[in-house]
Amino acid sequence: LFINSLAIKEDRGMAVTVRQLLELDLMREKVTLVTGAGGLDRNVSFVTIMEAPDFYEWVDGGEFVLTTWYAFSEHPELQMNAFLQLADKIAALAIKTERFIERVPDEILALAEEKQVPVFAIQRDTKFREIVQAIARAINNYQANILIEVDRYYQSLVKTALADDDLSALLNGFGQRTRLNCWCIDHNGRVLASFEQGSNNGLPGGEALVAAILRWSAEPIACFHEMDCHVFPCQARQLSLGYLVVHYPGQLSEKFRLMANNLVAFLTLKLLDKTETQQKNLGYLLDDLLYHHRLTEKQIQERLTAFGLKRSPFYRVFVVVAASSLQNDSLALLRNYARSLQRAIRDAIIVVRAK
């Protein structure tokens, strides 16, 4: 899925850039870069036409802007403010010369160079629709490639999840495709699985990152960026089961975000199954300890160790019982209370039961 001579060569999953659009035959023949070469790696999300002095109020970011500069041909005093407002948002500006203006104004060239905004001169005989079609087709091809690749990744996730219960297998697939280090941590901040490459191994920020994540664990949270890491919560039944942590200092590309969201869905299913199984097993263990007395001391120690409890002469047991009349919101608060109790008292058995 390529257009003309343009090959969408992604660098760590980034989108179409101004530099890549310059590889189009039409752009090479009809458009000339006049300044702002330092901004050629800006991402292009849209292509649009500007012919109003207040156009900057209508851009969202990432636009490749085409214009004849007609809006400022008779009111040049407005052009500096307008361009200044556009500079931090748009991907590039292309002005048709020898129509309403002979050349790109010097003050615009100076400001564009300062702001590192690519500015192009378009030949007079070039039709805007030709440029619009070429750029739009390149963007559409890129988006189609994203969907195809994300779908392939999703299919591989399905196969991996069905074939293996190991969380590491899921993280390896993501890490190998994105070349990004990633970790799955549980609701207590313990690393359950990881994909790490390079010399700087280990969770970035360590305990400080975990503390920042757990500050939000009392209620469902959205993905956030902390200490050069993107944190995706794994949530089910109004409960945070764990988190996917992806190390990348900048903004994740659209493709990588989609892939991370797919991975989170499968991690959530695995963590939910693990949590429910652990709660059932804790309940069985508690019943055996209190009522049946069938286990030997060695068996008890082995089971407690399996739940991450250290050997101790005594253990505290907390049974959190939910009243049958509780609504979902109240039940979620009760579960989170049990989680907080577990963090505060590490060597304890916490069992959550319905009444």
mmCIF file of all heavy atoms in Angstrom, residues 19-39:
data_model
loop_
_atom_site.group_PDB
_atom_site.id
_atom_site.type_symbol
_atom_site.label_atom_id
_atom_site.label_comp_id
_atom_site.label_asym_id
_atom_site.label_seq_id
_atom_site.Cartn_x
_atom_site.Cartn_y
_atom_site.Cartn_z
ATOM 1 N N ARG A 19 8.846 15.075 5.665
ATOM 2 C CA ARG A 19 9.995 14.591 4.902
ATOM 3 C C ARG A 19 9.573 13.465 3.951
ATOM 4 O O ARG A 19 10.000 13.416 2.791
ATOM 5 C CB ARG A 19 11.084 14.103 5.845
ATOM 6 C CG ARG A 19 12.393 13.728 5.149
ATOM 7 C CD ARG A 19 13.374 13.112 6.135
ATOM 8 N NE ARG A 19 13.603 13.949 7.288
ATOM 9 C CZ ARG A 19 14.463 14.968 7.324
ATOM 10 N NH1 ARG A 19 15.165 15.261 6.238
ATOM 11 N NH2 ARG A 19 14.624 15.688 8.428
ATOM 12 N N GLN A 20 8.743 12.550 4.418
ATOM 13 C CA GLN A 20 8.300 11.438 3.586
ATOM 14 C C GLN A 20 7.403 11.910 2.446
ATOM 15 O O GLN A 20 7.459 11.370 1.343
ATOM 16 C CB GLN A 20 7.575 10.408 4.448
ATOM 17 C CG GLN A 20 8.504 9.656 5.394
ATOM 18 C CD GLN A 20 7.763 8.849 6.436
ATOM 19 O OE1 GLN A 20 6.625 9.149 6.770
ATOM 20 N NE2 GLN A 20 8.418 7.827 6.967
ATOM 21 N N LEU A 21 6.604 12.937 2.700
ATOM 22 C CA LEU A 21 5.735 13.465 1.643
ATOM 23 C C LEU A 21 6.545 14.091 0.511
ATOM 24 O O LEU A 21 6.089 14.129 -0.639
ATOM 25 C CB LEU A 21 4.758 14.488 2.214
ATOM 26 C CG LEU A 21 3.678 13.938 3.153
ATOM 27 C CD1 LEU A 21 2.819 15.073 3.701
ATOM 28 C CD2 LEU A 21 2.802 12.913 2.447
ATOM 29 N N LEU A 22 7.740 14.552 0.825
ATOM 30 C CA LEU A 22 8.579 15.145 -0.210
ATOM 31 C C LEU A 22 9.057 14.110 -1.220
ATOM 32 O O LEU A 22 9.567 14.468 -2.284
ATOM 33 C CB LEU A 22 9.781 15.844 0.426
ATOM 34 C CG LEU A 22 9.474 17.112 1.227
ATOM 35 C CD1 LEU A 22 10.759 17.723 1.769
ATOM 36 C CD2 LEU A 22 8.727 18.122 0.384
ATOM 37 N N GLU A 23 8.879 12.825 -0.896
ATOM 38 C CA GLU A 23 9.267 11.780 -1.836
ATOM 39 C C GLU A 23 8.214 11.560 -2.914
ATOM 40 O O GLU A 23 8.466 10.866 -3.899
ATOM 41 C CB GLU A 23 9.507 10.469 -1.072
ATOM 42 C CG GLU A 23 10.648 10.555 -0.077
ATOM 43 C CD GLU A 23 10.803 9.267 0.715
ATOM 44 O OE1 GLU A 23 10.337 8.219 0.235
ATOM 45 O OE2 GLU A 23 11.384 9.307 1.811
ATOM 46 N N LEU A 24 7.042 12.153 -2.734
ATOM 47 C CA LEU A 24 6.006 12.058 -3.770
ATOM 48 C C LEU A 24 6.493 12.743 -5.051
ATOM 49 O O LEU A 24 7.080 13.825 -5.006
ATOM 50 C CB LEU A 24 4.714 12.722 -3.295
ATOM 51 C CG LEU A 24 3.911 11.996 -2.214
ATOM 52 C CD1 LEU A 24 2.858 12.921 -1.644
ATOM 53 C CD2 LEU A 24 3.261 10.747 -2.777
ATOM 54 N N ASP A 25 6.198 12.130 -6.189
ATOM 55 C CA ASP A 25 6.596 12.714 -7.473
ATOM 56 C C ASP A 25 6.037 14.121 -7.634
ATOM 57 O O ASP A 25 6.744 15.048 -8.052
ATOM 58 C CB ASP A 25 6.111 11.833 -8.632
ATOM 59 C CG ASP A 25 6.825 10.490 -8.662
ATOM 60 O OD1 ASP A 25 7.921 10.399 -8.078
ATOM 61 O OD2 ASP A 25 6.285 9.541 -9.266
ATOM 62 N N LEU A 26 4.767 14.300 -7.291
ATOM 63 C CA LEU A 26 4.126 15.608 -7.441
ATOM 64 C C LEU A 26 4.807 16.662 -6.576
ATOM 65 O O LEU A 26 5.031 17.798 -7.016
ATOM 66 C CB LEU A 26 2.642 15.502 -7.070
ATOM 67 C CG LEU A 26 1.846 16.811 -7.142
ATOM 68 C CD1 LEU A 26 1.726 17.285 -8.583
ATOM 69 C CD2 LEU A 26 0.466 16.639 -6.524
ATOM 70 N N MET A 27 5.163 16.295 -5.362
ATOM 71 C CA MET A 27 5.800 17.255 -4.461
ATOM 72 C C MET A 27 7.188 17.626 -4.966
ATOM 73 O O MET A 27 7.593 18.799 -4.893
ATOM 74 C CB MET A 27 5.887 16.657 -3.048
ATOM 75 C CG MET A 27 4.535 16.344 -2.425
ATOM 76 S SD MET A 27 3.589 17.825 -2.006
ATOM 77 C CE MET A 27 4.390 18.320 -0.502
ATOM 78 N N ARG A 28 7.923 16.677 -5.499
ATOM 79 C CA ARG A 28 9.256 16.977 -6.020
ATOM 80 C C ARG A 28 9.189 17.906 -7.226
ATOM 81 O O ARG A 28 10.056 18.753 -7.418
ATOM 82 C CB ARG A 28 9.963 15.667 -6.409
ATOM 83 C CG ARG A 28 10.456 14.848 -5.237
ATOM 84 C CD ARG A 28 11.579 13.909 -5.670
ATOM 85 N NE ARG A 28 11.111 13.004 -6.719
ATOM 86 C CZ ARG A 28 10.720 11.757 -6.504
ATOM 87 N NH1 ARG A 28 10.723 11.275 -5.278
ATOM 88 N NH2 ARG A 28 10.335 10.987 -7.503
ATOM 89 N N GLU A 29 8.146 17.754 -8.022
ATOM 90 C CA GLU A 29 8.042 18.520 -9.265
ATOM 91 C C GLU A 29 7.409 19.899 -9.081
ATOM 92 O O GLU A 29 7.757 20.846 -9.788
ATOM 93 C CB GLU A 29 7.221 17.736 -10.283
ATOM 94 C CG GLU A 29 7.851 16.412 -10.702
ATOM 95 C CD GLU A 29 6.903 15.537 -11.495
ATOM 96 O OE1 GLU A 29 5.753 15.985 -11.729
ATOM 97 O OE2 GLU A 29 7.283 14.400 -11.863
ATOM 98 N N LYS A 30 6.488 20.029 -8.143
ATOM 99 C CA LYS A 30 5.682 21.246 -8.054
ATOM 100 C C LYS A 30 5.918 22.089 -6.799
ATOM 101 O O LYS A 30 5.428 23.213 -6.719
ATOM 102 C CB LYS A 30 4.189 20.871 -8.091
ATOM 103 C CG LYS A 30 3.756 20.116 -9.347
ATOM 104 C CD LYS A 30 3.803 21.020 -10.568
ATOM 105 C CE LYS A 30 3.219 20.312 -11.799
ATOM 106 N NZ LYS A 30 3.208 21.204 -12.982
ATOM 107 N N VAL A 31 6.637 21.558 -5.824
ATOM 108 C CA VAL A 31 6.775 22.239 -4.535
ATOM 109 C C VAL A 31 8.254 22.368 -4.173
ATOM 110 O O VAL A 31 9.028 21.425 -4.364
ATOM 111 C CB VAL A 31 6.026 21.457 -3.428
ATOM 112 C CG1 VAL A 31 6.282 22.086 -2.067
ATOM 113 C CG2 VAL A 31 4.532 21.409 -3.717
ATOM 114 N N THR A 32 8.631 23.535 -3.619
ATOM 115 C CA THR A 32 10.028 23.783 -3.253
ATOM 116 C C THR A 32 10.109 24.217 -1.791
ATOM 117 O O THR A 32 9.389 25.132 -1.376
ATOM 118 C CB THR A 32 10.643 24.886 -4.128
ATOM 119 O OG1 THR A 32 10.539 24.506 -5.505
ATOM 120 C CG2 THR A 32 12.107 25.106 -3.761
ATOM 121 N N LEU A 33 10.956 23.555 -1.016
ATOM 122 C CA LEU A 33 11.168 23.957 0.375
ATOM 123 C C LEU A 33 11.986 25.243 0.401
ATOM 124 O O LEU A 33 13.054 25.325 -0.184
ATOM 125 C CB LEU A 33 11.909 22.849 1.132
ATOM 126 C CG LEU A 33 12.262 23.158 2.590
ATOM 127 C CD1 LEU A 33 11.007 23.228 3.451
ATOM 128 C CD2 LEU A 33 13.224 22.101 3.140
ATOM 129 N N VAL A 34 11.489 26.260 1.091
ATOM 130 C CA VAL A 34 12.205 27.537 1.144
ATOM 131 C C VAL A 34 12.790 27.817 2.531
ATOM 132 O O VAL A 34 13.727 28.616 2.654
ATOM 133 C CB VAL A 34 11.288 28.702 0.706
ATOM 134 C CG1 VAL A 34 10.998 28.613 -0.769
ATOM 135 C CG2 VAL A 34 9.997 28.739 1.514
ATOM 136 N N THR A 35 12.250 27.176 3.580
ATOM 137 C CA THR A 35 12.812 27.344 4.917
ATOM 138 C C THR A 35 12.196 26.304 5.851
ATOM 139 O O THR A 35 11.225 25.635 5.504
ATOM 140 C CB THR A 35 12.557 28.759 5.469
ATOM 141 O OG1 THR A 35 13.381 28.975 6.622
ATOM 142 C CG2 THR A 35 11.100 28.948 5.850
ATOM 143 N N GLY A 36 12.789 26.191 7.056
ATOM 144 C CA GLY A 36 12.226 25.301 8.071
ATOM 145 C C GLY A 36 12.592 23.844 7.903
ATOM 146 O O GLY A 36 11.827 22.959 8.323
ATOM 147 N N ALA A 37 13.768 23.569 7.346
ATOM 148 C CA ALA A 37 14.171 22.173 7.129
ATOM 149 C C ALA A 37 14.274 21.402 8.439
ATOM 150 O O ALA A 37 14.121 20.170 8.456
ATOM 151 C CB ALA A 37 15.513 22.124 6.399
ATOM 152 N N GLY A 38 14.493 22.108 9.542
ATOM 153 C CA GLY A 38 14.603 21.442 10.833
ATOM 154 C C GLY A 38 13.299 20.819 11.311
ATOM 155 O O GLY A 38 13.300 20.019 12.245
ATOM 156 N N GLY A 39 12.187 21.174 10.659
ATOM 157 C CA GLY A 39 10.890 20.640 11.077
ATOM 158 C C GLY A 39 10.331 19.596 10.130
ATOM 159 O O GLY A 39 9.138 19.269 10.192
#
